[in-house]
Amino acid sequence: MKDVATRAGVSEISVSRVMRNAPNISDALRRKVTDAANALSYTPNRLAGALKSQSSNLVAVVLPSMSNAVFPAVLDGIESVLDEQGLNAVLGLSGYDPDREVRVIRELLSWSPKGIILTGVHHGEAVRGMIAQMDVPVVQIMDIEGDPIGSMVGVSHSHAAIAAADHLHARGYRRIGYIGAWNERPERSLARRLAFEQQLQHHGTPLVAAHILEDRSSARIGAAATIALLTEHPEIDCIFYANDDLALGGLFYALSAGLDVPRELGLMGFNGLDIGKATPIPLSSIETPRFQMGAKAADLLLRSRTEGPQTVDLGFRVFDGGTT
Amino acid sequence: MKDVATRAGVSEISVSRVMRNAPNISDALRRKVTDAANALSYTPNRLAGALKSQSSNLVAVVLPSMSNAVFPAVLDGIESVLDEQGLNAVLGLSGYDPDREVRVIRELLSWSPKGIILTGVHHGEAVRGMIAQMDVPVVQIMDIEGDPIGSMVGVSHSHAAIAAADHLHARGYRRIGYIGAWNERPERSLARRLAFEQQLQHHGTPLVAAHILEDRSSARIGAAATIALLTEHPEIDCIFYANDDLALGGLFYALSAGLDVPRELGLMGFNGLDIGKATPIPLSSIETPRFQMGAKAADLLLRSRTEGPQTVDLGFRVFDGGTT
DNA sequence: ACCATTGTTGACAACGTTAACAATTCAATT
DNA sequence: AATTGAATTGTTAACGTTGTCAACAATGGT
């Protein structure tokens, strides 16, 4: 910066002000500085700037993993807003491991981010303590039910489960099964299943069986689980899956086996991925606004200085495909 | 840090050394400091640390977008290595826009990252200049053909295209078409198509037609393009797609239309996504090591201090599914 | 007992920027 | 011409760490 200042014949602080385009800068000064800066192709050092100004233009983002198609979309949404505001995301992946999540959050907080976006609402005292100490705005995404640290942006997984149960009941299914994976991590999968079971009970058609896999979700696993569940409980006429990957596996199996979907077997997924809308029979699912969730979370984070913590229910939509 | 030092009854520099676990620290000192640090739940300020030490534990990662399933996997790979080394990724998305990419790179470099991972090998003077000035290690991923700035990790897209052409020829297809999207961004898609066409020519069975869409890839678009291409060129007996999303769309259309795959119509994708292995007929494709690409790129970045720039060909595999 | 070596701790300054305050300029008003 | 106040620029001192160098203690070999 000193070099730029010398070359432009002004003080360092003037360079600083032009670079940040602070108010009350004369055109003459701005010209001199930008010319000098370009000539030297000067890049400001944000580490120093953030250190001094105690605010960093970094936003910490903690997600479980990129292997579930939901989170890339969320990240796209987050970046779309951050980019527009000249902010950068520092990313941490927890791998669904609470200990690793704590470690990652601690690391990210050490960059004094402008805010932090966390996934889910289940965070222990360790996390709450760190956040409180740093006094950093928090937005938690995915869920809107629970005891949040800051703002929440997401959908009601229990309402979504109830809507799914209602939809399947309305379609005439009476002997319904459930397939989940990855030991029902994250917790919201469990919450969803429980609400689903309760609503089926309420309809007088209790869940026939739930098959929870240990592996991570994938279409292949979904197909295998579908076979297993139907073998053990041949009376099942419909399956609700924890996500579209599993459901697609089920659908592909059903197509191969020549089952009459949706008459002989109904299939319902969760998330409403694009791919499910292009299958020979479009997959019925619960559409969740993933991109928007990320965008809104970033947006809320930036507003949270002025407005307080909020809860935003982005809602879901029952996508009535051909599999139910 | 001062508070911790006071509480522990030592100097600030000793706290610093314990926190960084520098060598030559007595157990007694370490105990005192860690106790005090825990009691105060002290989090070091990395901005200050990085500023002073001129090295930041941040790695800049520039990807085009998260909406293509390739990049989340790459990012997972990158994070797996960074996490293990206690580094953090600062992410920037270019949206396939060169101008935006330049802007993003400039932003990320202002954090004095330890290294930067870029996508592709097509970078102009603006980028090269910034990189050179900052003297930061670079790894470019995806391609291994071109004029790199630093190291390259990826696969040979021209070899992959040749392998695809050979495979389809060996399977007996003689009237082959091609479907691409997004105006053949990124450039490697174009390179792949050209190599593919050339190899078909070499076999004496030139490409019947190429259909390049303006929209971004998706299964739905793939189905529509397949219909369009087959309508215009009913003689086509096989289609090579720019990616699996498009190819899956083609496969779903073929299944719905009752076409006899692979006899009446062959289909080949690119990337080897998991979902393509669970479809009623597994999708033939070129498998690319996406996760490994990210992991190797991060690994190379860390080694590049000692070892120089390198080119790593991770290779591909022809996945011989049921659609060819 | 001496010196060289290694291990351990501390004092000080500096990393590159910006907040806070001070000083100057300049146009508008009296 | 004097006065005012806003607009513009400059001076100084940090932000919270760590590199450098110095000092001191412990160790081991002669």
Side-chain angles (χ1 to χ4, degrees):
Chain A
M1 208 162 81
K2 187 153 53 188
D3 297 346
V4 177
T6 308
R7 183 176 180 116
V10 299
S11 68
E12 293 183 39
I13 187 69
S14 291
V15 177
S16 169
R17 286 201 260 250
V18 170
M19 299 311 290
R20 293 178 279 149
N21 52 96
N24 300 334
I25 301 283
S26 70
D27 288 347
L29 181 68
R30 171 163 285 121
R31 269 289 304 276
K32 282 192 287 187
V33 171
T34 47
D35 286 353
N38 288 336
L40 300 173
S41 65
Y42 160 70
T43 307
N45 183 331
R46 295 215 180 187
L47 291 171
L51 175 61
K52 174 61 192 183
S53 67
Q54 311 273 43
S55 76
S56 81
N57 284 313
L58 287 176
V59 169
V61 178
V62 184
L63 300 173
S65 143
M66 286 291 116
S67 59
N68 180 338
V70 169
F71 297 110
V74 169
L75 189 52
D76 253 340
I78 292 173
E79 279 280 354
S80 74
V81 172
L82 294 189
D83 179 70
E84 173 175 282
Q85 304 285 334
L87 302 174
N88 292 119
V90 216
L91 184 66
L93 300 183
S94 69
Y96 295 100
D97 172 354
D99 292 339
R100 186 167 159 198
E101 183 177 44
V102 171
R103 218 182 64 226
V104 164
I105 292 174
R106 190 196 315 282
E107 292 229 325
L108 297 189
L109 285 180
S110 72
W111 292 104
S112 346
K114 193 175 223 88
I116 183 166
I117 295 176
L118 301 175
T119 307
V121 291
H122 295 268
H123 298 283
E125 279 314 312
V127 172
R128 287 167 189 272
M130 288 190 297
I131 302 268
Q133 174 139 5
M134 289 267 128
D135 189 32
V136 63
V138 181
V139 176
Q140 288 163 290
I141 56 170
M142 303 307 290
D143 298 89
I144 56 167
E145 291 156 328
D147 176 26
I149 304 175
S151 296
M152 291 192 288
V153 180
V155 302
S156 165
H157 287 259
S158 63
H159 288 180
I162 290 168
D166 290 350
H167 171 80
L168 297 179
H169 192 265
R171 280 285 181 281
Y173 297 108
R174 293 292 179 271
R175 296 182 305 279
I176 299 171
Y178 178 90
I179 289 178
W182 191 228
N183 292 320
E184 299 202 306
R185 267 178 281 178
E187 277 100 342
R188 55 188 161 278
S189 302
L190 176 61
R192 213 157 55 215
R193 175 172 64 80
L194 294 178
F196 183 69
E197 288 193 22
Q198 200 172 338
Q199 185 69 0
L200 285 186
Q201 194 94 45
H202 176 73
H203 282 305
T205 58
L207 192 77
V208 174
H211 197 69
I212 312 296
L213 298 154
E214 290 177 23
D215 309 81
R216 302 183 72 137
S217 294
S218 76
R220 229 180 316 186
I221 294 295
T226 302
I227 295 170
L229 187 63
L230 291 178
T231 306
E232 201 173 341
H233 302 277
E235 73 275 24
I236 283 178
D237 60 5
C238 179
I239 303 175
F240 181 40
Y241 295 84
N243 57 59
D244 281 0
D245 289 305
L246 296 171
L248 284 168
L251 174 58
F252 294 151
Y253 158 70
L255 290 176
S256 308
L259 294 181
D260 180 7
V261 176
R263 223 156 293 168
E264 204 173 338
L265 178 68
L267 301 160
M268 180 142 203
F270 191 89
N271 274 329
L273 298 187
D274 274 350
I275 186 87
K277 304 196 169 152
T279 43
I281 307 174
L283 179 66
S284 296
S285 190
I286 304 283
E287 277 181 13
T288 54
R290 301 176 295 279
F291 181 93
Q292 207 194 335
M293 214 179 279
K296 187 69 195 173
D299 182 55
L300 229 57
L301 205 54
L302 303 182
R303 294 178 191 285
S304 65
R305 303 221 154 280
T306 52
E307 312 163 29
Q310 299 174 40
T311 296
V312 178
D313 181 356
L314 291 176
F316 55 85
R317 207 173 71 83
V318 176
F319 175 68
D320 192 358
T323 63
T324 52
Chain B
M1 208 162 82
K2 187 152 55 185
D3 298 346
V4 177
T6 308
R7 186 177 178 116
V10 300
S11 68
E12 293 183 38
I13 187 67
S14 291
V15 177
S16 169
R17 285 201 261 253
V18 170
M19 297 312 290
R20 293 178 281 154
N21 49 92
N24 301 334
I25 300 287
S26 69
D27 288 347
L29 182 68
R30 171 164 282 121
R31 268 290 302 279
K32 280 191 289 187
V33 171
T34 48
D35 286 354
N38 288 336
L40 299 173
S41 63
Y42 161 69
T43 307
N45 183 331
R46 295 215 182 188
L47 291 172
L51 175 61
K52 175 62 192 178
S53 67
Q54 312 273 41
S55 76
S56 81
N57 284 311
L58 286 176
V59 170
V61 178
V62 183
L63 300 174
S65 144
M66 287 291 117
S67 59
N68 181 336
V70 169
F71 297 109
V74 169
L75 189 52
D76 254 339
I78 292 173
E79 278 281 354
S80 75
V81 171
L82 295 189
D83 180 71
E84 184 172 271
Q85 303 284 334
L87 302 174
N88 292 119
V90 215
L91 183 66
L93 301 183
S94 70
Y96 294 99
D97 172 354
D99 293 339
R100 185 167 161 197
E101 183 178 44
V102 171
R103 219 183 61 226
V104 164
I105 292 174
R106 189 197 315 283
E107 291 229 324
L108 297 188
L109 285 180
S110 72
W111 293 104
S112 348
K114 196 177 221 86
I116 182 165
I117 296 176
L118 300 177
T119 307
V121 290
H122 296 269
H123 298 284
E125 279 313 311
V127 172
R128 286 170 189 271
M130 289 190 297
I131 303 268
Q133 173 139 7
M134 289 266 128
D135 190 34
V136 64
V138 182
V139 176
Q140 288 163 288
I141 56 170
M142 303 305 291
D143 298 89
I144 56 166
E145 292 156 328
D147 175 26
I149 305 176
S151 295
M152 291 192 287
V153 181
V155 303
S156 166
H157 287 259
S158 62
H159 288 179
I162 291 169
D166 290 349
H167 171 79
L168 297 180
H169 192 264
R171 279 284 180 282
Y173 298 108
R174 293 294 179 268
R175 297 183 302 280
I176 299 172
Y178 177 89
I179 289 178
W182 191 228
N183 292 320
E184 297 201 307
R185 267 179 279 179
E187 277 99 341
R188 58 190 157 277
S189 301
L190 176 61
R192 212 157 56 215
R193 175 171 64 82
L194 293 178
F196 183 68
E197 289 192 23
Q198 199 172 341
Q199 185 69 2
L200 286 186
Q201 195 93 45
H202 177 74
H203 281 305
T205 58
L207 191 76
V208 174
H211 197 70
I212 312 297
L213 300 155
E214 291 178 23
D215 310 81
R216 302 183 73 137
S217 293
S218 75
R220 230 180 313 185
I221 294 294
T226 302
I227 294 170
L229 187 63
L230 291 179
T231 306
E232 202 173 343
H233 302 277
E235 73 274 23
I236 284 178
D237 61 4
C238 178
I239 303 175
F240 181 40
Y241 295 84
N243 57 59
D244 281 0
D245 289 304
L246 295 171
L248 284 169
L251 175 57
F252 294 152
Y253 157 70
L255 290 176
S256 308
L259 295 181
D260 181 5
V261 175
R263 223 155 296 168
E264 203 172 340
L265 179 68
L267 300 160
M268 180 140 202
F270 191 89
N271 274 330
L273 299 187
D274 274 349
I275 186 88
K277 307 199 168 149
T279 43
I281 307 174
L283 177 68
S284 296
S285 191
I286 304 283
E287 277 181 13
T288 55
R290 300 175 295 279
F291 182 94
Q292 207 194 333
M293 213 179 280
K296 187 68 194 174
D299 182 55
L300 227 57
L301 205 56
L302 303 181
R303 293 178 191 285
S304 64
R305 303 222 152 281
T306 54
E307 312 165 28
Q310 297 174 41
T311 296
V312 178
D313 181 356
L314 291 176
F316 56 85
R317 207 173 70 84
V318 176
F319 174 68
D320 193 357
T323 63
T324 52

